[in-house]
Amino acid sequence: MNVLKQFKIGIIGTESAHAHGFGHYFNVPDEQGNFLFPDCHVTLVYGDYPEENERIVTEKKADAVAKSIQEMVENVDAVMITSRDGSRHFEQVKPFLEAGIPVFLDKPVTFSPEEAVAIMQLAKKNHVPVCGGSSLKYAEEICSMKEKVDLKTIRTGLVSAPLMMDSPYGGYYFYVPHLIEMMLEMFGFYPKSVMAVEQNKSICAIVSYDGFSVTNQYNHNSFDSYAVGFVSDKEMLFEKVNANVCAKKECETFVEMLRTGKMPRSYQEQIIPVIFADALKKSYETKQEILLDYNIIQEI
């Protein structure tokens, strides 16, 4: 008889709806009493919002609220960093990476490419598997359309998603990873350049790849604007993306990483969305085309 290893999971950042969603998938059984992931359980939560901490304990059946991050480090097998403000992620994830504890790091991974490199360098040094980012890369429409895209015959692509320029959790950085990761999943990880303009807090950008371009439309406070499409020599496809069913796949991917030790994306690939977000911001601020520089990921 095979006995599954039991993973005790901690969650940091209970202000995020993602934390509550993940707690549900791991800790709340279905009507028949079956758990989606019987070998995983959220045991400890921690965050700056006491009411949200207690809600996950009460509603999502977490065991307790940790008194400190260090208490969590000493008592979990894996951690999910879901804090909305990505500028705090490095300080929050560092002790877990130093302790060799596998990590899910929610979007935005961080705000600066240099800090993203520091995170992944520490993870690699300690042989820690890391995953996370935006769940939109797992959307069914993205996966389906990706199979239909022939990068040899494509003429142009289009990706649309919300943006929250006024977010209290880092403004521009809070929502921008969704579209970026949708694009990278669909069209490839190494675009060459970006030219962007900002108007009324929305951003339109032309992203150059080898042989084709992809239009990015970041729509301020338009939360139902997820879509993807492309035009090729053979066909034109455009489809609205359902963002409400991606969290389960994100949990499945995290659990698979815990069970196998294999990351769904390399350390370098997890830095590229941060590099692109930085270039996009520089482009609309300077009104200039920015060449993407990937030399920094060679440090990993």
Side-chain angles (χ1 to χ4, degrees):
M1 178 180 177
N2 293 325
V3 178
L4 293 174
K5 172 183 169 64
Q6 298 298 306
F7 294 99
K8 295 179 290 184
I9 298 172
I11 294 180
I12 295 178
T14 56
E15 76 275 12
S16 171
H18 296 177
H20 294 260
F22 296 151
H24 181 87
Y25 282 123
F26 286 119
N27 286 12
V28 180
D30 63 20
E31 294 179 355
Q32 288 73 44
N34 299 313
F35 289 91
L36 190 60
F37 307 105
D39 54 341
C40 297
H41 183 75
V42 174
T43 55
L44 293 175
V45 298
Y46 181 81
D48 297 330
Y49 298 78
E51 290 184 3
E52 297 302 325
N53 295 341
E54 293 296 339
R55 275 188 61 207
I56 295 184
V57 171
T58 302
E59 299 175 10
K60 309 304 179 184
K61 314 303 180 185
D63 294 355
V65 178
K67 295 181 177 62
S68 66
I69 287 180
Q70 187 56 37
E71 179 187 349
M72 188 177 287
V73 170
E74 295 170 0
N75 289 281
V76 299
D77 303 306
V79 68
M80 306 184 84
I81 308 289
T82 60
S83 303
R84 286 177 167 176
D85 188 346
S87 68
R88 303 186 61 195
H89 284 177
F90 182 54
E91 66 179 84
Q92 291 172 335
V93 76
K94 187 170 183 263
F96 295 95
L97 297 178
E98 292 174 336
I101 295 171
V103 169
F104 170 90
L105 195 55
D106 208 349
K107 65 84 188 164
V109 170
T110 187
F111 291 177
S112 77
E114 292 77 17
E115 201 164 68
V117 168
I119 289 171
M120 298 305 166
Q121 281 179 328
L122 188 57
K124 185 176 182 180
K125 176 184 176 182
N126 291 290
H127 309 287
V128 180
V130 178
C131 68
S134 168
S135 65
L136 267 293
K137 59 181 171 283
Y138 300 123
E140 293 180 6
E141 296 83 1
I142 298 290
C143 297
S144 174
M145 195 170 291
K146 181 181 177 181
E147 295 180 357
K148 300 172 184 176
V149 173
D150 182 352
L151 297 182
K152 295 179 181 179
T153 64
I154 187 175
R155 295 296 184 183
T156 188
L158 172 66
V159 188
S160 172
L163 184 67
M164 287 183 71
M165 279 295 211
D166 297 331
S167 169
Y169 307 105
Y172 160 85
Y173 293 101
F174 183 49
Y175 250 74
V176 77
H178 288 315
L179 190 153
I180 294 171
E181 294 204 43
M182 291 165 65
M183 177 186 71
L184 296 176
E185 183 68 22
M186 275 281 297
F187 301 107
F189 271 87
Y190 292 93
K192 298 168 63 178
S193 69
V194 57
M195 177 67 205
V197 294
E198 181 267 328
Q199 190 171 23
N200 294 327
K201 300 181 182 179
S202 292
I203 300 169
C204 183
I206 303 297
V207 181
S208 295
Y209 280 84
D210 279 324
F212 65 95
S213 63
V214 177
T215 300
N216 290 186
Q217 186 61 53
Y218 303 83
N219 309 292
H220 179 62
N221 286 353
S222 181
F223 298 110
D224 195 30
S225 61
Y226 294 102
V228 66
F230 69 91
V231 178
S232 73
D233 291 347
K234 302 175 183 178
E235 60 185 333
M236 178 178 71
L237 293 176
F238 187 78
E239 193 167 358
K240 192 176 180 66
V241 172
N242 183 358
N244 298 319
V245 295
C246 302
K248 180 181 176 182
K249 178 63 178 177
E250 202 161 36
C251 288
E252 291 171 348
T253 303
F254 179 52
V255 170
E256 183 68 12
M257 186 184 78
L258 295 182
R259 292 170 178 168
T260 65
K262 297 179 181 179
M263 299 189 301
R265 288 185 170 179
S266 69
Y267 295 122
Q268 290 87 348
E269 288 172 338
Q270 294 181 74
I271 297 169
I272 290 175
V274 185
I275 292 174
F276 187 88
D278 184 65
L280 177 70
K281 191 170 189 290
K282 288 177 180 175
S283 180
Y284 79 74
E285 287 179 342
T286 63
K287 298 179 173 60
Q288 295 181 9
E289 182 179 18
I290 302 295
L291 299 179
L292 274 298
D293 184 356
Y294 302 105
N295 287 327
I296 194 171
I297 67 175
Q298 303 308 316
E299 300 174 18
I300 304 298

PDB file of all heavy atoms in Angstrom, residues 268-279:
ATOM      1  N   GLN A 268      15.132  30.987 -14.423  1.00  0.00           N
ATOM      2  CA  GLN A 268      15.275  32.084 -15.385  1.00  0.00           C
ATOM      3  C   GLN A 268      13.923  32.510 -15.955  1.00  0.00           C
ATOM      4  O   GLN A 268      13.641  33.710 -16.092  1.00  0.00           O
ATOM      5  CB  GLN A 268      16.208  31.668 -16.523  1.00  0.00           C
ATOM      6  CG  GLN A 268      17.663  31.520 -16.124  1.00  0.00           C
ATOM      7  CD  GLN A 268      17.998  30.133 -15.585  1.00  0.00           C
ATOM      8  OE1 GLN A 268      17.112  29.335 -15.297  1.00  0.00           O
ATOM      9  NE2 GLN A 268      19.288  29.855 -15.447  1.00  0.00           N
ATOM     10  N   GLU A 269      13.085  31.544 -16.290  1.00  0.00           N
ATOM     11  CA  GLU A 269      11.774  31.854 -16.865  1.00  0.00           C
ATOM     12  C   GLU A 269      10.882  32.596 -15.888  1.00  0.00           C
ATOM     13  O   GLU A 269      10.014  33.362 -16.304  1.00  0.00           O
ATOM     14  CB  GLU A 269      11.108  30.565 -17.334  1.00  0.00           C
ATOM     15  CG  GLU A 269      11.744  29.971 -18.580  1.00  0.00           C
ATOM     16  CD  GLU A 269      11.220  28.595 -18.927  1.00  0.00           C
ATOM     17  OE1 GLU A 269      10.692  27.913 -18.026  1.00  0.00           O
ATOM     18  OE2 GLU A 269      11.352  28.186 -20.098  1.00  0.00           O
ATOM     19  N   GLN A 270      11.094  32.393 -14.596  1.00  0.00           N
ATOM     20  CA  GLN A 270      10.285  33.090 -13.592  1.00  0.00           C
ATOM     21  C   GLN A 270      10.750  34.531 -13.372  1.00  0.00           C
ATOM     22  O   GLN A 270      10.021  35.329 -12.784  1.00  0.00           O
ATOM     23  CB  GLN A 270      10.302  32.305 -12.275  1.00  0.00           C
ATOM     24  CG  GLN A 270       9.609  30.954 -12.393  1.00  0.00           C
ATOM     25  CD  GLN A 270       9.591  30.174 -11.099  1.00  0.00           C
ATOM     26  OE1 GLN A 270       8.837  30.493 -10.169  1.00  0.00           O
ATOM     27  NE2 GLN A 270      10.412  29.147 -11.013  1.00  0.00           N
ATOM     28  N   ILE A 271      11.934  34.855 -13.865  1.00  0.00           N
ATOM     29  CA  ILE A 271      12.437  36.223 -13.783  1.00  0.00           C
ATOM     30  C   ILE A 271      11.973  37.051 -14.976  1.00  0.00           C
ATOM     31  O   ILE A 271      11.764  38.264 -14.868  1.00  0.00           O
ATOM     32  CB  ILE A 271      13.980  36.222 -13.706  1.00  0.00           C
ATOM     33  CG1 ILE A 271      14.450  35.530 -12.431  1.00  0.00           C
ATOM     34  CG2 ILE A 271      14.546  37.646 -13.760  1.00  0.00           C
ATOM     35  CD1 ILE A 271      15.943  35.242 -12.409  1.00  0.00           C
ATOM     36  N   ILE A 272      11.786  36.422 -16.136  1.00  0.00           N
ATOM     37  CA  ILE A 272      11.490  37.159 -17.369  1.00  0.00           C
ATOM     38  C   ILE A 272      10.241  38.035 -17.260  1.00  0.00           C
ATOM     39  O   ILE A 272      10.252  39.171 -17.758  1.00  0.00           O
ATOM     40  CB  ILE A 272      11.417  36.182 -18.565  1.00  0.00           C
ATOM     41  CG1 ILE A 272      12.834  35.663 -18.866  1.00  0.00           C
ATOM     42  CG2 ILE A 272      10.832  36.865 -19.798  1.00  0.00           C
ATOM     43  CD1 ILE A 272      12.903  34.608 -19.938  1.00  0.00           C
ATOM     44  N   PRO A 273       9.138  37.603 -16.622  1.00  0.00           N
ATOM     45  CA  PRO A 273       8.000  38.529 -16.477  1.00  0.00           C
ATOM     46  C   PRO A 273       8.362  39.818 -15.739  1.00  0.00           C
ATOM     47  O   PRO A 273       7.817  40.884 -16.047  1.00  0.00           O
ATOM     48  CB  PRO A 273       6.977  37.707 -15.686  1.00  0.00           C
ATOM     49  CG  PRO A 273       7.309  36.288 -16.001  1.00  0.00           C
ATOM     50  CD  PRO A 273       8.805  36.247 -16.110  1.00  0.00           C
ATOM     51  N   VAL A 274       9.272  39.736 -14.788  1.00  0.00           N
ATOM     52  CA  VAL A 274       9.689  40.925 -14.043  1.00  0.00           C
ATOM     53  C   VAL A 274      10.547  41.824 -14.935  1.00  0.00           C
ATOM     54  O   VAL A 274      10.408  43.056 -14.915  1.00  0.00           O
ATOM     55  CB  VAL A 274      10.461  40.522 -12.767  1.00  0.00           C
ATOM     56  CG1 VAL A 274      10.794  41.763 -11.938  1.00  0.00           C
ATOM     57  CG2 VAL A 274       9.662  39.531 -11.940  1.00  0.00           C
ATOM     58  N   ILE A 275      11.418  41.215 -15.740  1.00  0.00           N
ATOM     59  CA  ILE A 275      12.227  41.981 -16.698  1.00  0.00           C
ATOM     60  C   ILE A 275      11.317  42.716 -17.676  1.00  0.00           C
ATOM     61  O   ILE A 275      11.513  43.904 -17.975  1.00  0.00           O
ATOM     62  CB  ILE A 275      13.190  41.048 -17.463  1.00  0.00           C
ATOM     63  CG1 ILE A 275      14.258  40.488 -16.521  1.00  0.00           C
ATOM     64  CG2 ILE A 275      13.844  41.783 -18.633  1.00  0.00           C
ATOM     65  CD1 ILE A 275      15.165  39.455 -17.161  1.00  0.00           C
ATOM     66  N   PHE A 276      10.297  42.011 -18.171  1.00  0.00           N
ATOM     67  CA  PHE A 276       9.404  42.633 -19.144  1.00  0.00           C
ATOM     68  C   PHE A 276       8.595  43.764 -18.508  1.00  0.00           C
ATOM     69  O   PHE A 276       8.427  44.829 -19.119  1.00  0.00           O
ATOM     70  CB  PHE A 276       8.454  41.607 -19.763  1.00  0.00           C
ATOM     71  CG  PHE A 276       7.628  42.173 -20.878  1.00  0.00           C
ATOM     72  CD1 PHE A 276       8.101  42.159 -22.180  1.00  0.00           C
ATOM     73  CD2 PHE A 276       6.393  42.762 -20.629  1.00  0.00           C
ATOM     74  CE1 PHE A 276       7.365  42.719 -23.211  1.00  0.00           C
ATOM     75  CE2 PHE A 276       5.650  43.326 -21.648  1.00  0.00           C
ATOM     76  CZ  PHE A 276       6.137  43.301 -22.949  1.00  0.00           C
ATOM     77  N   ALA A 277       8.088  43.556 -17.291  1.00  0.00           N
ATOM     78  CA  ALA A 277       7.315  44.610 -16.617  1.00  0.00           C
ATOM     79  C   ALA A 277       8.160  45.863 -16.428  1.00  0.00           C
ATOM     80  O   ALA A 277       7.670  46.991 -16.584  1.00  0.00           O
ATOM     81  CB  ALA A 277       6.807  44.103 -15.266  1.00  0.00           C
ATOM     82  N   ASP A 278       9.424  45.681 -16.117  1.00  0.00           N
ATOM     83  CA  ASP A 278      10.324  46.817 -15.943  1.00  0.00           C
ATOM     84  C   ASP A 278      10.527  47.554 -17.271  1.00  0.00           C
ATOM     85  O   ASP A 278      10.491  48.788 -17.317  1.00  0.00           O
ATOM     86  CB  ASP A 278      11.662  46.302 -15.405  1.00  0.00           C
ATOM     87  CG  ASP A 278      12.645  47.406 -15.087  1.00  0.00           C
ATOM     88  OD1 ASP A 278      12.362  48.197 -14.172  1.00  0.00           O
ATOM     89  OD2 ASP A 278      13.695  47.476 -15.757  1.00  0.00           O
ATOM     90  N   ALA A 279      10.716  46.810 -18.359  1.00  0.00           N
ATOM     91  CA  ALA A 279      10.912  47.426 -19.678  1.00  0.00           C
ATOM     92  C   ALA A 279       9.650  48.136 -20.156  1.00  0.00           C
ATOM     93  O   ALA A 279       9.717  49.231 -20.730  1.00  0.00           O
ATOM     94  CB  ALA A 279      11.334  46.359 -20.688  1.00  0.00           C
TER      95      ALA A 279
END
